Amino acid sequence: MNPPEIRELVAGDYPEAVRLLAVLNPSVPVEVLEQRFMTILAEHPHYHAYGAFLDGKLAGLASAWIATKVWCGRYLEVDNIVVDPEIRSAGVGTLLVQHLEALAREKDCNLAVLDSYTSNHASHRLYHRLGFEIWGFHFVKPLGPLDR
């Protein structure tokens, strides 16, 4: 397999990106995922979405926010990393994370951070292998249905 081409997504890539986001979020209707993704892209210029393309097909997606917090300064927060289930464990996720790390360094970020579902053990192994550490808990309080 040739190494993937990693580049920022353009509008023509968005339908395939939503397809991958549905793999990561199977309980959320595709229409809702599409609306949320398009809202983020339209309203947040500090949000970046990248794709790993194999033979022209979107095989993986990684997106991130760049922001500032009092406790750490400028940081990059990974929002989504998802690889097509048919090609997982082929190194695409690693390349996407490395791409985001390079972006974080280029943008003078002090940290790269991410959240991972507690049940997603495969992603935990990947993130630990890539040098991420668990520094705390991410507390969540649902205020309504998440699938709207």
Side-chain angles (χ1 to χ4, degrees):
M1 172 171 47
N2 291 327
E5 171 198 6
I6 298 178
R7 62 169 172 78
E8 192 150 9
L9 297 182
V10 296
D13 303 320
Y14 297 165
E16 281 299 298
V18 172
R19 177 188 65 80
L20 286 177
L21 289 170
V23 170
L24 189 62
N25 303 279
S27 65
V28 182
V30 172
E31 303 78 31
V32 173
L33 291 172
E34 179 180 23
Q35 182 271 327
R36 289 176 181 170
F37 187 60
M38 297 309 295
T39 298
I40 291 168
L41 291 168
E43 294 181 357
H44 302 282
H46 56 286
Y47 184 84
H48 302 274
Y50 295 91
F53 293 83
L54 290 170
D55 300 321
K57 180 180 184 255
L58 184 61
L61 167 71
S63 53
W65 310 82
I66 294 176
T68 302
K69 288 190 179 189
V70 170
W71 74 272
C72 67
R74 192 166 174 83
Y75 71 101
L76 178 137
E77 181 175 350
V78 178
D79 186 39
N80 295 288
I81 293 183
V82 60
V83 175
D84 189 313
E86 294 182 17
I87 61 159
R88 286 194 180 142
S89 299
V92 173
T94 296
L95 290 173
L96 286 166
V97 171
Q98 290 170 340
H99 185 82
L100 291 178
E101 286 179 8
L103 174 67
R105 287 184 181 92
E106 176 186 311
K107 300 291 186 179
D108 295 322
C109 294
N110 297 320
L111 292 174
V113 301
L114 57 84
D115 288 333
S116 178
Y117 295 121
T118 56
S119 60
N120 192 346
H121 302 292
S123 74
H124 304 164
R125 286 188 298 276
L126 171 66
Y127 302 141
H128 282 297
R129 185 171 50 78
L130 294 174
F132 285 84
E133 302 170 2
I134 299 171
W135 282 18
F137 295 103
H138 187 92
F139 290 92
V140 176
K141 180 180 181 179
L143 301 174
L146 300 178
D147 60 354
R148 57 181 174 149

